[in-house]
Amino acid sequence: MAIRRPEVGLLIPIERPWPDVGMATLGVIFLVLVQHSSPLPLRHLLREVVEKVNEYGPFIGVVMAYSAEEEALISSGFFTPNLHVPWVDLSGRRFHIGTISDVDVIYVMSGQRRLNAGITVQILIDVFDVRGIVHYGTAGSANDSMSFGDVSVPKFVAFTGSWNWVKFNTAEGGNLTELSFGTYNLPGGGENRLAEVEFKAEEFYCVNRSMEEVFWLEMDTTWFQIAGRLKDLKLQRCVNETYCLPKSPKVVIGLKGSTADIFVDNAAYRDFLFRKFKVSTVDEESSAVVMTAMSSGVPAMVFRGVSDLAGGGTNWTSTSLSSIAASNSLTVAVEFIRLIGSEKLIGRN
Ligand SMILES: *[C@@H]1O[C@H](CO)[C@@H](O)[C@H](O)[C@H]1NC(C)=O
Ligand SMILES: *[C@@H]1O[C@H](CO)[C@@H](O)[C@H](O)[C@H]1NC(C)=O
Ligand SMILES: *[C@@H]1O[C@H](CO)[C@@H](O)[C@H](O)[C@H]1NC(C)=O
Ligand SMILES: *[C@@H]1O[C@H](CO)[C@@H](O)[C@H](O)[C@H]1NC(C)=O
Ligand SMILES: *[C@@H]1O[C@H](CO)[C@@H](O)[C@H](O)[C@H]1NC(C)=O
């Protein structure tokens, strides 16, 4: 077995006394400690550090998938690292401890696609005292009414990458949504040995419930209502003095988003997803973040900024569009964190 090399960002020795507290507060901290006393196995080298970190909680877990999205947070200056333990490394991810607008947060870059997103959110929930997950990033737009820089705050997300791949020349005709490849033959539709795929639901395991098959995952009602207040937020329109989007980007609340381990850059498939599932954005992580959080009864919200058109419309993409999309999604996420921070009681107990 490989030797574990846990790391922790410590600007001062762990033994340093923690901020002075009166007797009454001590009692409270003791109770909290008892409640969250063993997030890691007894012999784990970071057990003590994680306990210290959790004294600063509860936190909002902030999750993004890749470096351009993390860069948006770093360059925004919104995040202030904790002076005592600025970060903890677990399973190859760096969990940054600190605040955003005085709200205690732990932010972490998960890596791309479903498995990385799921693993990372599970660690956040199991190890740290987290009361909810905020996920932001870029997305492709599948909806012609959503363009570059717009931010979608979906009410529903689904995983659209789990398929029954059907035999050629059999008419099974279940009631699942089907994608028949022959329909897309050129110059006209016909048969195709790839036949068709049927879109399957996910097995959803959740605390206190028996397994259910679900396709659409719905956001936590309370958190979604709070996000509703963000619809008139002003977003960034210009990358610099000369390069601006043709229209002011907008926040759009309550649409549907789809996730798969697939980067969609194909007009026909984009159109299929919009027509069949009414999804406005496509990405590679959102539904994994939401499902992992929901399994433990933890609320989650998704903020995705449009960085490309998933193969539709124009042919152009650029890093400028990615950065404006990431930064606009971050703007909405940060405003949401502020609102949640002012409603201390919301989230997991
Ligand atoms: C497409 O996006 C617009 C907002 O730009 C929204 O009003 C509309 O409902 C969306 N369409 C669907 C099918 O969700
Ligand atoms: C069709 O859908 C219903 C209700 O969701 C379900 O009970 C039934 O088993 C499905 N039939 C097939 C052939 O998948
Ligand atoms: C503005 O941004 C565009 C796109 O990234 C770039 O091509 C252009 O050089 C920039 N202009 C200035 C003045 O920085
Ligand atoms: C699960 O059930 C227990 C016992 O009824 C309850 O205390 C707990 O709050 C429930 N958890 C969730 C997440 O609903
Ligand atoms: C995209 O580029 C291809 C190849 O350069 C071209 O044939 C096509 O017309 C372009 N599509 C649009 C919508 O501009």
Side-chain angles (χ1 to χ4, degrees):
M1 198 186 131
I3 298 167
R4 243 195 227 144
R5 289 181 55 213
E7 282 186 75
V8 55
L10 280 181
L11 301 184
I12 49 130
I14 313 173
E15 290 74 21
R16 180 191 180 279
W18 293 85
D20 284 344
V21 282
M23 283 310 284
T25 338
L26 255 182
V28 174
I29 287 179
F30 181 70
L31 277 180
V32 171
L33 266 179
V34 168
Q35 247 178 349
H36 302 285
S37 64
S38 44
L40 289 172
L42 210 52
R43 291 170 59 204
H44 197 290
L45 289 168
L46 290 185
R47 186 183 154 100
E48 209 177 313
V49 176
V50 162
E51 278 176 15
K52 297 283 186 206
V53 166
N54 282 335
E55 286 175 27
Y56 290 96
F59 300 95
I60 292 181
V62 181
V63 178
M64 73 292 287
Y66 76 110
S67 52
E69 295 165 342
E70 180 179 18
E71 188 46 46
L73 176 57
I74 295 169
S75 62
S76 73
F78 286 133
F79 178 76
T80 309
N82 184 297
L83 285 177
H84 308 298
V85 191
W87 47 265
V88 175
D89 280 356
L90 290 164
S91 298
R93 276 100 184 160
R94 180 154 293 183
F95 294 80
H96 299 262
I97 325 296
T99 56
I100 290 177
S101 297
D102 291 327
V103 181
D104 295 300
V105 302
I106 297 180
Y107 94 76
V108 54
M109 188 181 88
S110 61
Q112 294 183 70
R113 288 174 285 285
R114 278 212 312 164
L115 187 59
N116 281 328
I119 288 171
T120 307
V121 172
Q122 194 68 55
I123 296 172
L124 262 178
I125 291 172
D126 285 346
V127 174
F128 298 102
D129 182 11
V130 160
R131 60 191 172 120
I133 305 290
V134 166
H135 173 55
Y136 74 88
T138 60
S141 164
N143 177 338
D144 288 338
S145 308
M146 286 200 68
S147 192
F148 301 108
D150 289 350
V151 175
S152 173
V153 186
K155 184 169 169 57
F156 295 96
V157 289
F159 181 60
T160 50
S162 177
W163 297 347
N164 290 326
W165 206 308
V166 180
K167 280 198 189 78
F168 179 58
N169 245 342
T170 52
E172 295 192 355
N175 49 10
L176 299 173
T177 301
E178 293 162 354
L179 166 60
S180 171
F181 294 103
T183 316
Y184 296 91
N185 283 356
L186 289 172
E191 289 289 297
N192 184 313
R193 282 193 296 144
L194 289 174
E196 64 177 45
V197 293
E198 299 174 335
F199 287 75
K200 291 165 66 167
E202 286 281 88
E203 291 186 355
F204 176 55
Y205 292 86
C206 179
V207 59
N208 291 353
R209 277 158 62 175
S210 43
M211 191 279 280
E212 276 176 82
E213 296 219 333
V214 296
F215 190 77
W216 293 109
L217 297 165
E218 183 173 358
M219 302 301 147
D220 178 83
T221 317
T222 313
W223 272 37
F224 185 73
Q225 270 169 8
I226 291 171
R229 298 187 213 155
L230 302 169
K231 68 175 174 9
D232 297 322
L233 207 60
K234 217 166 154 30
L235 299 175
Q236 186 188 336
R237 181 174 171 185
C238 296
V239 176
N240 57 34
E241 278 170 11
T242 51
Y243 188 85
C244 292
L245 296 167
K247 281 196 296 183
S248 281
K250 56 187 186 297
V251 183
V252 187
I253 303 198
L255 305 183
K256 290 177 167 167
S258 99
T259 297
D261 288 336
I262 298 167
F263 184 85
V264 180
D265 190 13
N266 181 282
Y269 189 55
R270 168 192 196 265
D271 181 55
F272 170 86
L273 288 173
F274 181 72
R275 277 187 298 110
K276 292 287 183 176
F277 295 115
K278 309 267 183 288
V279 300
S280 292
T281 52
V282 294
D283 66 53
E284 299 176 87
E285 296 86 14
S286 295
S287 79
V289 169
V290 173
M291 185 157 138
T292 310
M294 280 176 69
S295 283
S296 298
V298 172
M301 281 302 291
V302 171
F303 304 91
R304 287 281 187 160
V306 173
S307 60
D308 62 85
L309 302 183
T314 55
N315 274 337
W316 46 284
T317 55
S318 79
T319 47
S320 305
L321 290 174
S322 258
S323 84
I324 210 168
S327 116
N328 279 349
S329 65
L330 172 70
T331 300
V332 188
V334 164
E335 214 43 56
F336 180 73
I337 290 168
R338 278 199 189 115
L339 290 177
I340 291 292
S342 62
E343 316 233 351
K344 290 268 180 229
L345 295 173
I346 292 160
R348 182 172 65 164
N349 300 315

PDB file of all heavy atoms in Angstrom, residues 239-243 320, ligand 3:
ATOM      1  N   VAL A 239     -15.014  42.137 -21.192  1.00  0.00           N
ATOM      2  CA  VAL A 239     -13.750  41.540 -20.775  1.00  0.00           C
ATOM      3  C   VAL A 239     -12.734  42.656 -20.527  1.00  0.00           C
ATOM      4  O   VAL A 239     -11.959  42.625 -19.583  1.00  0.00           O
ATOM      5  CB  VAL A 239     -13.213  40.587 -21.875  1.00  0.00           C
ATOM      6  CG1 VAL A 239     -11.851  40.023 -21.491  1.00  0.00           C
ATOM      7  CG2 VAL A 239     -14.210  39.483 -22.136  1.00  0.00           C
ATOM      8  N   ASN A 240     -12.756  43.647 -21.424  1.00  0.00           N
ATOM      9  CA  ASN A 240     -11.916  44.837 -21.261  1.00  0.00           C
ATOM     10  C   ASN A 240     -12.613  45.994 -21.977  1.00  0.00           C
ATOM     11  O   ASN A 240     -13.758  45.851 -22.408  1.00  0.00           O
ATOM     12  CB  ASN A 240     -10.497  44.566 -21.766  1.00  0.00           C
ATOM     13  CG  ASN A 240     -10.499  44.105 -23.225  1.00  0.00           C
ATOM     14  OD1 ASN A 240     -11.325  44.532 -24.020  1.00  0.00           O
ATOM     15  ND2 ASN A 240      -9.569  43.224 -23.552  1.00  0.00           N
ATOM     16  N   GLU A 241     -11.907  47.109 -22.156  1.00  0.00           N
ATOM     17  CA  GLU A 241     -12.556  48.301 -22.712  1.00  0.00           C
ATOM     18  C   GLU A 241     -13.078  48.108 -24.133  1.00  0.00           C
ATOM     19  O   GLU A 241     -14.043  48.745 -24.533  1.00  0.00           O
ATOM     20  CB  GLU A 241     -11.580  49.483 -22.679  1.00  0.00           C
ATOM     21  CG  GLU A 241     -11.547  50.133 -21.309  1.00  0.00           C
ATOM     22  CD  GLU A 241     -10.417  51.137 -21.168  1.00  0.00           C
ATOM     23  OE1 GLU A 241      -9.803  51.478 -22.198  1.00  0.00           O
ATOM     24  OE2 GLU A 241     -10.161  51.549 -20.040  1.00  0.00           O
ATOM     25  N   THR A 242     -12.432  47.213 -24.878  1.00  0.00           N
ATOM     26  CA  THR A 242     -12.819  47.082 -26.284  1.00  0.00           C
ATOM     27  C   THR A 242     -13.629  45.820 -26.578  1.00  0.00           C
ATOM     28  O   THR A 242     -14.226  45.699 -27.639  1.00  0.00           O
ATOM     29  CB  THR A 242     -11.567  47.065 -27.195  1.00  0.00           C
ATOM     30  OG1 THR A 242     -10.663  46.080 -26.684  1.00  0.00           O
ATOM     31  CG2 THR A 242     -10.886  48.413 -27.224  1.00  0.00           C
ATOM     32  N   TYR A 243     -13.634  44.885 -25.671  1.00  0.00           N
ATOM     33  CA  TYR A 243     -14.250  43.585 -25.953  1.00  0.00           C
ATOM     34  C   TYR A 243     -15.430  43.358 -25.023  1.00  0.00           C
ATOM     35  O   TYR A 243     -15.273  43.007 -23.857  1.00  0.00           O
ATOM     36  CB  TYR A 243     -13.189  42.501 -25.780  1.00  0.00           C
ATOM     37  CG  TYR A 243     -13.620  41.119 -26.211  1.00  0.00           C
ATOM     38  CD1 TYR A 243     -13.527  40.720 -27.537  1.00  0.00           C
ATOM     39  CD2 TYR A 243     -14.089  40.201 -25.272  1.00  0.00           C
ATOM     40  CE1 TYR A 243     -13.914  39.445 -27.927  1.00  0.00           C
ATOM     41  CE2 TYR A 243     -14.479  38.930 -25.657  1.00  0.00           C
ATOM     42  CZ  TYR A 243     -14.381  38.555 -26.990  1.00  0.00           C
ATOM     43  OH  TYR A 243     -14.756  37.297 -27.365  1.00  0.00           O
ATOM     44  N   SER A 320     -11.593  34.173 -23.334  1.00  0.00           N
ATOM     45  CA  SER A 320     -12.245  35.346 -22.738  1.00  0.00           C
ATOM     46  C   SER A 320     -13.681  35.020 -22.353  1.00  0.00           C
ATOM     47  O   SER A 320     -14.173  35.437 -21.311  1.00  0.00           O
ATOM     48  CB  SER A 320     -12.273  36.509 -23.723  1.00  0.00           C
ATOM     49  OG  SER A 320     -10.987  36.784 -24.163  1.00  0.00           O
TER      50      SER A 320
HETATM   51  C1  LIG B   3      -9.559  42.762 -25.022  1.00  0.00           C
HETATM   52  O1  LIG B   3      -9.886  41.369 -25.018  1.00  0.00           O
HETATM   53  C2  LIG B   3      -9.802  40.755 -26.292  1.00  0.00           C
HETATM   54  C3  LIG B   3     -10.299  39.322 -26.138  1.00  0.00           C
HETATM   55  O2  LIG B   3      -9.599  38.616 -25.168  1.00  0.00           O
HETATM   56  C4  LIG B   3      -8.359  40.832 -26.792  1.00  0.00           C
HETATM   57  O3  LIG B   3      -8.284  40.250 -28.075  1.00  0.00           O
HETATM   58  C5  LIG B   3      -7.936  42.299 -26.843  1.00  0.00           C
HETATM   59  O4  LIG B   3      -6.569  42.367 -27.190  1.00  0.00           O
HETATM   60  C6  LIG B   3      -8.147  42.975 -25.514  1.00  0.00           C
HETATM   61  N1  LIG B   3      -7.897  44.416 -25.652  1.00  0.00           N
HETATM   62  C7  LIG B   3      -7.196  45.095 -24.737  1.00  0.00           C
HETATM   63  C8  LIG B   3      -7.072  46.568 -25.020  1.00  0.00           C
HETATM   64  O5  LIG B   3      -6.663  44.567 -23.769  1.00  0.00           O
END
